[in-house]
Amino acid sequence: MPESNGAACGAAEKVKPAASPASEEPAAIAGNISFHAQYSPHFSPLAFGPEQAFYSTAESVRDHLVQRWNETYLHFHKTDPKQTYYLSMEYLQGRALTNAVGNLGITGAYAEAVKKFGYELEALVGQEKDAALGNGGLGRLASCFLDSMATLNLPAWGYGLRYRYGLFKQCITKEGQEEIAEDWLEKFSPWEIVRHDIVYPIRFFGHVEILPDGSRKWVGGEVLNALAYDVPIPGYKTKNAISLRLWDAKASAEDFNLFQFNDGQYESAAQLHARAQQICAVLYPGDATEEGKLLRLKQQYFLCSASLQDIFFRFKERKADRVSGKWSEFPAKVAVQLNDTHPTLAIPELMRLLMDVEGLGWDEAWDITNKTIAYTNHTVLPEALEKWSQIVMRKLLPRHMEIIEEIDKRFKEMVISTRKEMEGKIDSMRILDNSNPQKPVVRMANLCVVSAHTVNGVAELHSNILKEELFADYLSIWPNKFQNKTNGITPRRWLRFCNPELSEIVTKWLKTDQWTSNLDLLTGLRKFADDEKLHAEWASAKLASKKRLAKHVLDVTGVTIDPNSLFDIQIKRIHEYKRQLLNILGAVYRYKKLKGMTAEERQKVTPRTVMIGGKAFATYTNAKRIVKLVNDVGAVVNNDPDVNKYLKVVFIPNYNVSVAEVLIPGSELSQHISTAGMEASGTSNMKFSLNGCVIIGTLDGANVEIREEVGQENFFLFGAKADQVAGLRKDRENGLFKPDPRFEEAKQLIRSGAFGTYDYAPLLDSLEGNSGFGRGDYFLVGYDFPSYIDAQAQVDEAYKDKKKWIKMSILNTAGSGKFSSDRTIAQYAKEIWGITASPVS
């Protein structure tokens, strides 16, 4: 790091600016960085501090990406392969600089180039803000998938929205979590490329006209424009770079009422511009109000309509060159994947475009739609299976509501005519739910299942629950419609780049770095699991990561943690089913136990640092109470001289991808403790395991498969199984549950005010009683508590045997090969999309 901006500016002046967009030589790269600093200026001429250096470096890297993106786009245009279009409301990209230079194979060259300006590459990486385009696992999965699509040379394309303020930036105060707007676009993103020629009209409201020939046309209402921004996604060690296309909402100049403005009616004059800004302002705006619900539905339709219009444009661009030039070819050239129910409106929008714009009849349009659309389900939680008010839908999207009604009508007729024995189940299977005449809704998951050619779950257990419970009736009609595609993660970001020390050791012992794109090679580590030299290197790498993590914790919380203690981490969005409450109750019980020990007894205890991180939705009260409780417990425990050598509790604020890239390599035990049957898959469990972290968890989601792969002796299992949960809830309702005394002790210590005066009664009351709204311990925290505490005691004992623990760590990494997103995406490509690799030569 240079001593001053002046010193950096002086160093910059010594590097002659020269445009060399494709060079991989450090001197030429430095010239290209200097060129961008001078001729693509975003700051005043004399400024060349770390921030300015980052932007110039990023723009230089972007030159490489643009060249590859252009070549890839031209290649796809010439060869005209079938392409996949991935629609997702979220993409949790993280920082791009490290990933870009790593995938391009130019990390070393750029590190040397920026030294000519007096900088370390790592320092410039720290200047980048995470792109605030997602929140949790759904968005991070989508980003891993894009990385794998590019690496596998697949003709694919991601579509999302360009949220200006993201979900929120989390601040922790004495009151708990506070939310402020993300500032990732406060200046600009150096990675995105605005496409001023890619603009599509998006209509809302209005009405449907019936034309003389009987066809229908949606007219009136308000029309906004969708403007495309492209973010290039480079593959690893390949010439292919695909695109994440993000849509921003704009109103045109003619929508600005100059007369009203000059008359002093400033807000009225720019009304449509204000509405346009709202659409891409925030990810998941609060939907407690009617206005909030309307905005969310607007966002979903905006994504679907802009993306499908773009897909149509690209299909028609090549249609004239094909032999038949018929719309029946559409599914042979286009695969659309819906990432959860948020993009469900792509179904009626595709029907509308085919019928109302292209003039096809219902049967042909339906056949094309069914062969084009596939749906990934990510949840069995009732509140996450979206249901939209029919009244709101009809008001905002009148033509789409007509189409949805017709799909529902034809589905009902099909079931009654072909499956008379299912007539009694039709009401629960229909798309339209009219059971409450005052609040009729559209069931979006049902619309997806009825309309898509394939429905997939994201882990074996989850997919089985879909087939045996959630969608069991549909399975009897369409037995071949349902598949499993166990999630995966990209090994580039989640080991190669975020954990360089461990990555180098893996490469050294496997005698190849091919594992980065063929993760199954990690099994080769198993034969070295008892090797003392590997143990020593492995422990050294883990300690380096723990020290880096301890520095981060000190920087963001002011709490000093001991790298020699067991680092125990749970990071994921805060939700009652993910059971951060079980974790903190366990920490409270551990604290109580420590307080009751003598000084001599404490010295035999395994020292532990418990870290919890994640965002609670702004309107999710109990989740925010859990965040508050973790912080309050930490404030007491960390300042208690009797125990703070043996236990610390830290809440990690503003959890995001960049934070995860520090926490995951430094973790030794990771908690994946959701109520069995409620977590579809999870992907952070895969990231921890890949980085040699041992998991304590339930048999839920991908935990089941991770345990199979790494070996059950290298996984700390506890808790009820998925097939027991319903019965246990019934037992609870019938008053048969007897709480463990340790569970009662932990709750009582919180109620006693030991951790402050905040009223935790409403949170703890959710664990009390046998039934009722917000009561009855729906997530089985009390039932699983004793087995959880017993499993944690096993962790304490295992950690004392360093040789055993390191072997467990090595075997977790060695067993992670299955969980590469390259494997997942290869399966999607072959078994759902029907696309093949199309490498740029």
Side-chain angles (χ1 to χ4, degrees), residues 785-796:
F785 190 82
S787 62
Y788 173 72
I789 294 299
D790 294 344
Q792 289 286 18
Q794 293 169 24
V795 170
D796 289 333

Side-chain angles (χ1 to χ4, degrees), residues 763-780:
L763 177 62
L764 296 174
D765 286 349
S766 71
L767 307 175
E768 311 293 355
N770 296 326
S771 61
F773 181 74
R775 291 177 65 80
D777 193 11
Y778 184 77
F779 301 101
L780 304 186

Side-chain angles (χ1 to χ4, degrees), residues 394-644:
R394 198 181 308 279
K395 177 183 175 185
L396 185 70
L397 304 168
R399 180 63 178 126
H400 299 76
M401 192 61 213
E402 286 184 347
I403 292 168
I404 291 167
E405 286 172 331
E406 185 66 19
I407 296 172
D408 179 68
K409 173 172 159 282
R410 289 177 181 235
F411 170 68
K412 182 180 176 182
E413 289 170 354
M414 181 273 289
V415 173
I416 291 171
S417 65
T418 62
R419 301 293 296 272
K420 285 204 182 309
E421 76 279 7
M422 298 191 72
E423 208 166 323
K425 297 180 176 179
I426 193 71
D427 284 346
S428 65
M429 297 172 71
R430 287 182 60 186
I431 296 158
L432 301 181
D433 179 0
N434 300 313
S435 57
N436 182 348
Q438 276 72 48
K439 292 184 177 179
V441 295
V442 180
R443 294 184 279 216
M444 305 304 265
N446 291 19
L447 177 55
C448 286
V449 174
V450 168
S451 308
H453 63 80
T454 305
V455 176
N456 74 280
V458 290
E460 283 286 356
L461 175 65
H462 171 237
S463 296
N464 289 337
I465 290 171
L466 294 185
K467 289 190 283 189
E468 294 164 14
E469 298 176 28
L470 194 64
F471 299 140
D473 294 332
Y474 299 106
L475 181 72
S476 67
I477 299 173
W478 297 298
N480 299 319
K481 180 174 280 201
F482 296 86
Q483 296 187 17
N484 174 60
K485 293 288 171 280
T486 297
N487 282 343
I489 57 172
T490 167
R492 274 75 64 184
R493 182 180 288 271
W494 293 112
L495 180 55
R496 178 69 188 86
F497 304 146
C498 77
N499 197 344
E501 293 92 350
L502 194 64
S503 175
E504 285 170 16
I505 291 167
V506 170
T507 296
K508 174 185 170 183
W509 284 81
L510 293 180
K511 294 184 168 57
T512 178
D513 66 355
Q514 291 297 310
W515 60 266
T516 313
S517 51
N518 180 7
L519 207 59
D520 288 332
L521 293 175
L522 291 181
T523 56
L525 291 171
R526 285 179 179 150
K527 62 176 175 281
F528 305 118
D530 291 304
D531 192 293
E532 289 183 7
K533 287 182 181 176
L534 176 58
H535 277 225
E537 292 176 21
W538 202 270
S540 175
K542 182 60 74 172
L543 184 60
S545 293
K546 289 178 75 176
K547 286 179 177 177
R548 195 158 50 239
L549 169 50
K551 182 182 183 304
H552 176 80
V553 169
L554 181 62
D555 290 345
V556 299
T557 70
V559 178
T560 302
I561 60 175
D562 180 6
N564 294 309
S565 66
L566 168 61
F567 279 11
D568 168 353
I569 297 180
Q570 185 184 20
I571 42 173
K572 47 186 82 235
R573 66 188 170 86
I574 311 295
H575 197 293
E576 285 166 285
Y577 90 83
K578 293 179 184 284
R579 300 203 296 191
Q580 288 91 351
L581 184 54
L582 174 60
N583 187 345
I584 194 61
L585 283 167
V588 167
Y589 178 72
R590 181 179 289 268
Y591 174 65
K592 186 175 187 296
K593 240 176 107 178
L594 281 165
K595 288 294 282 182
M597 292 179 181
T598 64
E600 291 73 24
E601 288 172 327
R602 286 184 196 129
Q603 286 176 6
K604 298 174 185 175
V605 168
T606 301
R608 185 184 293 230
T609 302
V610 177
M611 290 172 257
I612 298 175
K615 294 178 180 180
F617 273 109
T619 54
Y620 189 173
T621 308
N622 258 5
K624 293 181 82 168
R625 288 179 179 133
I626 292 168
V627 173
K628 169 76 172 152
L629 178 59
V630 174
N631 281 283
D632 284 353
V633 170
V636 171
V637 171
N638 302 343
N639 293 295
D640 187 330
D642 292 339
V643 304
N644 62 14

